[in-house]
Amino acid sequence: VQLQASGGGLVQAGGSLRLSCAASGSIVSIRTMNWYRQAPAQQRELVAGITVFGDTNYADAVKGRFTISRDNAKNTVDLQMNSLKPEDTAVYYCNADILPMSARRYSYYWGQGTLVTVSS
């Protein structure tokens, strides 16, 4: 099982970016899918999460600006980021609670991270 994230880049403050993450491999099902971020010298923090039923939660810092969505048929999760601020600069990681065909229980998997840089 692998998670592949894409969509990071450099954007000016006030701009938008869309991150995408695709889970691949022999997957039975995926429960929660999340986006985390880690800024330099800071701990990794949860940005947004979405359940298989579409229930979402967001960090206070991104509420109203970021939108998480998923496609259960394609095993993908996206993060639409609008009104970006310099403090949103970080490496963004996707994360998912996955039941692989080779296992009997769910485990969390991580993508490789994609850098988002917001210039002022």
Side-chain angles (χ1 to χ4, degrees), residues 78-97:
D78 291 347
L79 185 68
Q80 177 65 43
M81 304 184 294
N82 299 327
S83 303
L84 282 160
K85 303 175 181 180
E87 51 264 44
D88 294 319
T89 295
V91 177
Y92 285 71
Y93 298 89
C94 58
N95 164 271
D97 190 16

Side-chain angles (χ1 to χ4, degrees), residues 13 15 17 23 28 39 45 47 50-51 55 57-58 61 73 85 91 95 99 104 106 113 117 120:
L17 279 176
V28 174
E45 62 176 358
V47 176
I50 184 168
T51 71
D55 298 320
N57 64 284
Y58 297 92
K85 303 175 181 180
V91 177
N95 164 271
L99 177 62
R104 295 185 177 183
Y106 286 83
T117 304
S120 56

Side-chain angles (χ1 to χ4, degrees), residues 1-4 22-27 75:
V1 173
Q2 287 187 328
L3 293 178
Q4 182 70 41
S24 62
S26 299
I27 296 171
N75 290 337

Side-chain angles (χ1 to χ4, degrees), residues 38-92:
Q38 187 167 18
Q42 294 190 20
Q43 290 188 333
R44 192 172 297 188
E45 62 176 358
L46 177 65
V47 176
I50 184 168
T51 71
V52 66
F53 305 109
D55 298 320
T56 59
N57 64 284
Y58 297 92
D60 288 343
V62 307
K63 282 181 181 177
R65 300 188 297 121
F66 291 11
T67 302
I68 189 170
S69 60
R70 67 187 283 175
D71 185 326
N72 291 332
K74 296 181 179 179
N75 290 337
T76 59
V77 59
D78 291 347
L79 185 68
Q80 177 65 43
M81 304 184 294
N82 299 327
S83 303
L84 282 160
K85 303 175 181 180
E87 51 264 44
D88 294 319
T89 295
V91 177
Y92 285 71

